[in-house]
Amino acid sequence: LVAARSDKKIVLCHTAVGEVFTVELAKLAQLEEEAVKQRADGLAMAERSTPVWANHTLGAVALMISSGAPCEGLSLLLTSNVPPGAGMSNSAANCVALGLVFNELYPTLALDTQMKVVTFARDAENSKFGGGHCGWLDQMLIACSKEHMLTKIDYADHSIEHFTSQLPKETQFVALNTNVPHVLAESDYSHRVRELTVGIAFLSKILGENAGGPLLKLSSLNRLIAAVDPANPASKPVRLENIKMGALAAAAPDGSPKFPSIKAELAEPEPLGHQKIQEIVAAAKGDAYDPPSDLPMHKGKTKLESLGVLLRRMRHQKMSSLLVPLAGAAAAQGDSALFGTLLDLEGESLRMSGDFQITGDNGAQDALLDCAFEVGAEIAADTSVEFSVHGRMLGGGGGGNVLLMVVTGDATLRTKWEERVKDYYQEWADAKYPGQGIRATVIIPAMSAGARVLP
């Protein structure tokens, strides 16, 4: 709920936390700078000038005012059934909702298309108050989804397609919340964004082309990683050959490959030559590479070891760009086995033992995934009914939810699985966080319509 005021005050109330926060318009810029400094200083949340729940809202307010809205004051009543700090896009949903209501209140903002609302929401989340480094995914899904439909997004031109999932009715997606919260702006996600930026910039300079696009194949990244950091077990090659793509590997009716990018990877085209790889290694040893030594994953590492970390981040990004379109096709054709395999591959790369290492040092998401897979294997071994579990983490890591795909024709087995997973996780949480009463909770997601203003 939103209402204009005339006393030059911004008054925020959040029903979920039962708090009210008020700031004068004249002091908004000062509060914004304090948010930046306190975040950089690592000040405890309870000691900061702005409560954590208000940051993204104030970022949206500041953006709305700087965009020319004639705001003389504002009252906002906030509520949400999306758990905060859980990797479920609470902040993105909040910012999209604020873009919609601000446009109703101040039509001069001209947020009259979905992409304008999406852009507003993303800018609010990445504002000085929000401190995020997020992309487009969450905001676009929240604004543009259709009920009972899956959404395909092409980031090259922000185009959107909707299609119906043909995954069998025995397939159920389940989100399990670790209930160890995270703050996206202060999770390792921002570190990963910076690592990718540094790695792509370095290689682009040496190669004379954009290394962040389709230029480097998996085979090239594998060879480069092995050359710069051969002693690290994480440098082992990542390949796609073992994915059983079934019908998706066949040609389309016109004879063209259904997935030319996948086929190109599987064909193992000529990778970077030995000479070019040695040129990159020499440049990394010299002044051309400035490692992000202030980031935890790079402290105490040599230049080549640091570059190896960046290259593994890039390899994850490359893998994801190949797996996601394939997963969409698997859903459209009802191939749950392939979809589960791809979900697992992405999930393995996101874990602390994988290339992207985003689940976090607290171990909560990895532990909950381990519990889910362990219980799934136990139930599958004890029953003649089909039962399989696949999954990955959600959000920016360091806590929050994990997403599992459970395939079984027996709903009672899935309920049994949920309860036993919660028990296993409780044992882990009580040992890791004694006396805090941390427990896993279950969320059953649904494909719903996108954000809209209610009358």
Side-chain angles (χ1 to χ4, degrees):
L1 295 175
V2 60
R5 302 172 66 101
S6 59
D7 59 0
K8 300 190 182 300
K9 290 182 179 179
I10 304 296
V11 180
L12 311 179
C13 175
H14 202 303
T15 60
V17 294
E19 293 181 8
V20 176
F21 183 75
T22 302
V23 58
E24 296 177 12
L25 280 176
K27 296 182 178 179
L28 192 61
Q30 176 188 335
L31 195 66
E32 186 177 54
E33 294 306 319
E34 289 176 4
V36 174
K37 185 177 187 305
Q38 291 168 357
R39 186 183 303 116
D41 293 343
L43 191 66
M45 295 293 182
E47 299 176 17
R48 298 191 187 184
S49 304
T50 305
V52 64
W53 61 265
N55 275 321
H56 293 102
T57 299
L58 290 176
V61 169
L63 178 60
M64 174 262 292
I65 292 172
S66 68
S67 299
C71 179
E72 295 295 322
L74 204 62
S75 292
L76 279 166
L77 178 64
L78 307 171
T79 188
S80 178
N81 61 357
V82 181
M88 300 287 281
S89 305
N90 173 281
S91 55
N94 182 52
C95 291
V96 169
L98 290 170
L100 290 170
V101 297
F102 287 166
N103 193 60
E104 291 285 313
L105 196 61
Y106 306 111
T108 55
L109 288 173
L111 302 179
D112 49 8
T113 68
Q114 288 178 329
M115 275 311 301
K116 287 181 180 179
V117 173
V118 165
T119 302
F120 177 92
R122 179 175 181 266
D123 290 346
E125 194 162 5
N126 291 339
S127 67
K128 289 183 177 180
F129 272 116
H133 296 83
C134 64
W136 297 93
L137 173 63
D138 296 353
Q139 295 84 358
M140 291 185 74
L141 282 176
I142 291 163
C144 306
S145 292
K146 288 187 177 181
E147 191 172 13
H148 306 309
M149 303 286 281
L150 294 176
T151 304
K152 177 183 176 182
I153 299 171
D154 188 337
Y155 294 117
D157 58 5
H158 291 162
S159 60
I160 292 175
E161 297 178 27
H162 297 98
F163 64 98
T164 302
S165 170
Q166 299 298 329
L167 292 173
K169 58 182 177 57
E170 293 82 8
T171 304
Q172 176 65 61
F173 288 93
V174 179
L176 295 175
N177 192 348
T178 66
N179 284 301
V180 175
H182 78 168
V183 177
L184 180 60
E186 298 173 46
S187 74
D188 286 344
Y189 183 80
S190 60
H191 297 172
R192 299 298 171 269
V193 172
R194 185 171 157 208
E195 286 171 331
L196 284 168
T197 302
V198 172
I200 290 170
F202 168 71
L203 287 181
S204 297
K205 182 178 180 180
I206 303 302
L207 298 174
E209 297 182 65
N210 178 19
L215 174 65
L216 294 178
K217 305 294 183 184
L218 271 180
S219 52
S220 298
L221 287 167
N222 284 333
R223 291 193 68 200
L224 193 50
I225 290 169
V228 302
D229 194 12
N232 192 326
S235 297
K236 63 182 180 181
V238 173
R239 296 190 174 96
L240 293 172
E241 290 94 328
N242 296 328
I243 298 178
K244 296 178 181 178
M245 290 189 287
L248 296 181
D254 63 358
S256 62
K258 284 188 177 181
F259 292 93
S261 60
I262 295 287
K263 289 179 178 291
E265 293 293 334
L266 294 177
E268 290 287 332
E270 183 65 28
L272 290 176
H274 176 76
Q275 182 176 346
K276 181 59 71 173
I277 287 177
Q278 291 307 307
E279 181 183 338
I280 293 170
V281 171
K285 289 179 178 179
D287 296 334
Y289 176 56
D290 183 17
S293 303
D294 57 312
L295 296 183
M297 292 285 187
H298 297 264
K299 290 181 178 179
K301 284 184 167 59
T302 66
K303 282 191 170 186
L304 289 184
E305 290 170 342
S306 170
L307 180 59
V309 173
L310 303 189
L311 291 172
R312 287 190 287 275
R313 308 299 188 238
M314 292 178 65
R315 184 167 63 184
H316 166 79
Q317 187 181 51
K318 180 68 177 182
M319 276 287 287
S320 185
S321 72
L322 296 169
L323 298 182
V324 171
L326 194 55
Q333 295 196 19
D335 191 337
S336 61
L338 175 58
F339 192 97
T341 297
L342 299 171
L343 190 63
D344 288 339
L345 284 172
E346 178 90 351
E348 289 166 8
S349 184
L350 290 163
R351 297 182 66 149
M352 295 305 289
S353 57
D355 277 353
F356 211 59
Q357 297 181 291
I358 195 61
T359 45
D361 289 331
N362 61 37
Q365 288 183 308
D366 281 347
L368 190 48
L369 285 168
D370 287 339
C371 293
F373 296 144
E374 181 179 354
V375 174
E378 290 174 354
I379 292 177
D382 291 341
T383 180
S384 59
V385 178
E386 179 187 12
F387 195 92
S388 63
V389 179
H390 310 271
R392 54 157 288 175
M393 58 79 70
L394 287 175
N401 276 263
V402 298
L403 179 68
L404 286 306
M405 184 181 88
V406 183
V407 183
T408 180
D410 188 339
T412 60
L413 281 181
R414 194 189 77 232
T415 301
K416 179 181 179 181
W417 169 81
E418 291 173 3
E419 294 305 314
R420 196 186 297 180
V421 170
K422 289 192 287 186
D423 289 342
Y424 280 31
Y425 179 73
Q426 179 178 333
E427 292 182 21
W428 176 87
D430 285 346
K432 178 75 173 181
Y433 300 101
Q436 296 190 34
I438 293 174
R439 302 290 181 265
T441 50
V442 177
I443 301 170
I444 304 298
M447 292 183 285
S448 302
R452 58 208 179 276
V453 177
L454 298 177

